[in-house]
Amino acid sequence: MDADVSDSPGTPAEPDRPDHPAGGGPADGSQDTPGAAPQDDASAGGSGADGSAGGTTDGTWGERPRQGPPGRPRPWLRWTALAASFLVLVAAGVGWWLYNKLDGNITTDTSAAAELKAYEKERPRPTARGARNILLIGSDTRSGDNSRYGRDDGGSQRSDTTILLHLAADRRSATAMSVPRDLMAEIPSCHTGGGKATKEQFAQFNSAFELGGTACTIRTVEKMTGVRIDHHMVIDFNGFKDMVDAVDGVEVCLKEPVDDADAHLKLPAGRQKLDGEKALGYVRARKSIGNGSDTERMDRQQKFLGALVNKMQSNGVLLNPTRLYPVLDAATKSLTTDPGLDSLRDLYDLVRGMRNVPTEKVQFLTVPRREYRADPNRDELVQPDADRLFAQLRKDELVAVVPADEIKSGDSQPDHSSGNDTAGRKSGDTGASPTPAPTYSGSNAADDLCGS
């Protein structure tokens, strides 16, 4: 074989580039070397008929417009952001200050909690899960700012008004039951402020507060009703006045003019709006309005509280922070509570749970009672009416109340109403009623004090 014709391999032709000869170079003899500079746009994209660059390219990098860095924010935007941040900080600071102010207004009653804990085994157990029973006590102290309303007998005090507020577990109803201060009750052995133990006694109900304070009053109510008291609040005169002023007064109607020097009250007859000072005299007056009985005074207190609740809900006070704050400030300044309600958050949760209760389901009544046989100036419970009412509260059953005149006219069950004795019923009298549950004399927050 000829030496010039060898079997050694040569440089093969590239099958994918048929326009290149077997030597691997371009047809014009130039080399495709790596790293070579790119062709200009005219040769890469072709030329037009006039010799200008053709194709779809945007020109060379040098011909493209410079983008530059993003533009700076305008000065007014920066100032707006700073102002908004400052306002948020100020609002947060003011809110925190207001919260702490209201929170600090509340006085905690730790002594009552300790006393109740010592008698825990004697106290009734809760029977309705989720329901709440709160004892509201109106303090009758004449010390300090309250001295203008009467004589201060060495700092002693009695409960002027006591109301057991039952909040249903579903928070769709509330029942406020008044306990007359002149009601004869079994008062258990309690401890005085000095730690001395008192004897069990059958005495006027409001003397329990004088003997052993809040704890003794709570234990007396629990012994009487079998209802477990979850929380308590003690409010003095000034707290009530300020709350009425915070909602810009409450309207009432008087059939006759009132002139009561002891209650600091002088009012004409007819419809009128009472401020806090006049409202306090109105709910405390006894001998100058109506028949002068404590029974009528309690009914007047219940209706006034109902009107106060109605105004707070109808005017949107509970949903308006700017209007709610004065009410909370007034309430907390003169409020003493147990440790479970001694913070603004606890009170807010309580109010929030009540704000959806329809006003017609906020009901007021007094324990069934009658004139005490041994003393016409005192009251005693009517049985079995009272025990039936207490059982309804324990079981979280809805309590039905109607005006007293409807009770007397026979529209409801007279044997279950307040102030009616079942001993006089005739044999065979079934006491039929259109209502499925016992009905009691009372009112609700939707009632108009002027009857219109």
Side-chain angles (χ1 to χ4, degrees):
M1 181 177 296
D2 192 345
D4 294 334
V5 182
S6 65
D7 293 330
S8 61
T11 303
E14 295 181 28
D16 293 336
R17 302 180 65 178
D19 55 333
H20 291 183
D28 58 0
S30 64
Q31 298 294 325
D32 248 344
T33 55
Q39 298 177 355
D40 58 33
D41 293 335
S43 60
S47 300
D50 59 356
S52 63
T56 58
T57 62
D58 294 329
T60 63
W61 287 104
E63 296 173 347
R64 294 182 182 179
R66 296 182 60 184
Q67 299 295 327
R72 296 180 180 178
R74 298 179 181 178
W76 68 270
L77 288 176
R78 288 184 298 174
W79 283 111
T80 300
L82 288 173
S85 301
F86 176 75
L87 290 176
V88 169
L89 290 175
V90 170
V94 171
W96 180 251
W97 180 83
L98 292 176
Y99 179 90
N100 281 280
K101 181 178 183 296
L102 292 176
D103 206 51
N105 285 344
I106 306 170
T107 302
T108 306
D109 186 0
T110 56
S111 60
E115 177 82 358
L116 292 174
K117 186 176 181 180
Y119 291 95
E120 180 61 35
K121 293 182 179 179
E122 300 178 8
R123 303 182 64 194
R125 307 303 303 169
T127 55
R129 185 176 182 180
R132 288 290 179 269
N133 297 297
I134 304 170
L135 196 65
L136 309 176
I137 303 174
S139 171
D140 198 24
T141 180
R142 297 305 203 280
S143 60
D145 293 337
N146 293 328
S147 58
R148 62 177 300 187
Y149 301 106
R151 185 184 59 189
D152 180 15
D153 297 323
S156 65
Q157 57 180 343
R158 293 191 178 188
S159 55
D160 181 73
T161 300
T162 302
I163 297 176
L164 174 57
L165 176 62
H166 173 79
L167 303 180
D170 61 4
R171 298 300 189 268
R172 299 300 300 168
S173 66
T175 302
M177 182 190 74
S178 294
V179 181
R181 63 180 184 178
D182 295 334
L183 181 72
M184 299 302 294
E186 294 285 349
I187 300 177
S189 174
C190 302
H191 287 90
T192 64
K196 182 180 179 180
T198 63
K199 295 181 180 180
E200 293 186 17
Q201 54 188 297
F202 185 68
Q204 187 175 332
F205 169 74
N206 70 339
S207 63
F209 194 71
E210 181 182 18
L211 291 172
T214 304
C216 194
T217 302
I218 291 174
R219 292 179 58 221
T220 301
V221 172
E222 290 183 338
K223 186 174 184 178
M224 178 193 306
T225 65
V227 176
R228 170 84 175 204
I229 304 301
D230 301 300
H231 302 288
H232 71 268
M233 298 182 185
V234 180
I235 306 175
D236 72 12
F237 296 152
N238 285 294
F240 175 81
K241 287 193 308 179
D242 292 342
M243 287 185 66
V244 174
D245 286 333
V247 297
D248 194 27
V250 175
E251 282 193 343
V252 300
C253 277
L254 297 175
K255 295 180 180 179
E256 298 177 353
V258 177
D259 189 355
D260 191 324
D262 292 337
H264 300 276
L265 186 66
K266 187 172 183 179
L267 298 171
R271 179 187 289 267
Q272 54 206 291
K273 185 166 68 172
L274 303 183
D275 60 14
E277 185 71 31
K278 293 179 181 178
L280 179 60
Y282 176 77
V283 298
R284 297 196 69 249
R286 182 169 179 173
K287 298 179 181 179
S288 59
I289 302 179
N291 59 15
S293 67
D294 195 46
T295 296
E296 185 172 282
R297 185 177 73 100
M298 283 187 298
D299 292 340
R300 189 166 63 251
Q301 290 174 349
Q302 293 168 2
K303 291 178 180 179
F304 188 89
L305 289 176
L308 179 60
V309 171
N310 190 19
K311 184 165 186 180
M312 290 177 67
Q313 289 195 344
S314 63
N315 287 359
V317 174
L318 299 180
L319 300 177
N320 188 336
T322 59
R323 302 196 64 186
L324 180 60
Y325 176 79
V327 177
L328 291 176
D329 187 42
T332 53
K333 281 180 179 178
S334 302
L335 190 65
T336 300
T337 75
D338 62 280
L341 281 181
D342 66 345
S343 72
L344 191 60
R345 179 180 294 276
D346 295 327
L347 290 177
Y348 175 75
D349 289 341
L350 179 65
V351 172
R352 183 178 60 179
M354 291 185 63
R355 68 184 182 187
N356 293 325
V357 179
T359 52
E360 64 272 13
K361 294 298 182 181
V362 180
Q363 305 186 112
F364 298 86
L365 74 160
T366 304
V367 293
R369 82 283 182 205
R370 63 188 171 199
E371 185 180 287
Y372 181 41
R373 298 172 186 176
D375 185 351
N377 294 318
R378 301 290 180 264
D379 292 329
E380 65 179 359
L381 294 176
V382 173
Q383 298 294 3
D385 298 25
D387 284 344
R388 286 180 178 141
L389 173 60
F390 302 154
Q392 284 182 269
L393 296 178
R394 290 195 300 269
K395 298 176 183 178
D396 195 28
E397 296 176 353
L398 183 65
V399 176
V401 301
V402 295
D405 55 353
E406 293 185 22
I407 290 282
K408 295 176 182 178
S409 64
D411 291 339
S412 301
Q413 292 179 326
D415 56 316
H416 291 151
S417 64
S418 174
N420 289 276
D421 190 357
T422 60
R425 292 182 59 196
K426 296 180 180 180
S427 176
D429 196 355
T430 61
S433 170
T435 57
T439 306
Y440 304 89
S441 172
S443 60
N444 64 65
D447 291 343
D448 189 340
L449 288 180
C450 292
S452 60

